Amino acid sequence: MANALFAYFANRTRAAMRRQAISLAYVLVGAVFALFALAGLFAALFFALEPGYGPMRASLIVAAVAFLLTLLATAPLWLPRRRPPPPPDPTLAELLALASKGNPGAAPSKLAIVGVIAALALGLLASRKSEAER
């Protein structure tokens, strides 16, 4: 039974890897063609600017355009990200609400015991945090 399960999952894994490899091949071919198209656009820009600015200035303009496009393309990598604020620590009321939702038929005395245990746990955590900050 275990061998049959192993063979089943191995076949499924091979098929998934084959699909990913084919997708990767298409992406790589598309990237090569995109690079050729971009090189053609830069060559066209150079030949359009060359009669008016000369070869040296036209090549500097094309290089500056390429550099600005590089900065724009890599901006998400080097710009600082805004991180969402951390979620607030759960309060005793939220913990009790979760405990009562998890066990709707619980007696009030059991909820009170859960509340006392939760309060003790939160108190211990708070005292450890304050000791660590000192």
Side-chain angles (χ1 to χ4, degrees):
M1 180 71 180
N3 289 337
L5 284 175
F6 179 75
Y8 172 74
F9 285 118
N11 286 337
R12 293 209 40 183
T13 304
R14 271 189 235 115
M17 288 176 60
R18 192 176 307 118
R19 283 191 302 270
Q20 292 298 323
I22 290 170
S23 296
L24 179 64
Y26 284 129
V27 167
L28 288 176
V29 169
V32 167
F33 285 128
L35 285 175
F36 277 117
L38 192 61
L41 287 174
F42 283 132
L45 178 63
F46 171 78
F47 286 121
L49 294 174
E50 194 265 332
Y53 292 101
M56 182 61 75
R57 286 188 183 150
S59 63
L60 288 175
I61 291 171
V62 170
V65 168
F67 181 72
L68 288 176
L69 289 175
T70 303
L71 286 179
L72 287 175
T74 60
L77 299 175
W78 50 267
L79 284 177
R81 294 184 181 129
R82 291 185 186 161
R83 300 194 179 179
D89 289 334
T91 62
L92 181 60
E94 291 172 350
L95 290 174
L96 287 176
L98 285 175
S100 66
K101 286 181 184 175
N103 194 359
S109 62
K110 288 184 180 180
L111 288 178
I113 292 171
V114 169
V116 168
I117 292 172
L120 289 173
L122 288 174
L124 288 174
L125 287 174
S127 66
R128 285 189 180 176
K129 283 184 183 177
S130 63
E131 287 175 7
E133 291 173 356
R134 290 182 194 168

